Amino acid sequence: MDGRPVAFQWLAEGRHWVARAEVSDCALTLHGRDLPVESVELVQVSDLEPYVQGQRRLQQAWARHHDQEH
């Protein structure tokens, strides 16, 4: 990473795809749906809090939706 391209192997089926690459000593796996694989870019994130909060809001919305259906 650090501005260098990372080569991924990827497999697509319908609206879903999975891509995998070796980065340093780690395996990096990405899963996408309804998103062109060519549009994905890796960026360094230093503040995870907005992502954590977004995931919590998404889980709460799913829970409300589930409660409304049952």
Side-chain angles (χ1 to χ4, degrees):
M1 304 206 300
D2 296 330
R4 295 176 309 209
V6 176
F8 281 80
Q9 296 176 325
W10 64 281
L11 175 64
E13 170 124 5
R15 298 168 41 198
H16 299 262
W17 55 263
V18 176
R20 184 178 181 281
E22 297 287 330
V23 179
S24 299
D25 293 331
C26 300
L28 177 60
T29 304
L30 307 173
H31 174 253
R33 181 182 73 194
D34 297 333
L35 177 70
V37 70
E38 306 84 29
S39 70
V40 175
E41 293 184 37
L42 302 178
V43 298
Q44 185 172 352
V45 175
S46 57
D47 181 9
L48 294 178
E49 189 60 29
Y51 298 94
V52 171
Q53 291 300 322
Q55 183 64 29
R56 287 181 182 150
R57 284 192 301 271
L58 182 59
Q59 288 173 338
Q60 291 168 352
W62 284 340
R64 283 191 304 273
H65 177 74
H66 181 266
D67 291 344
Q68 291 171 356
E69 288 186 343
H70 295 98

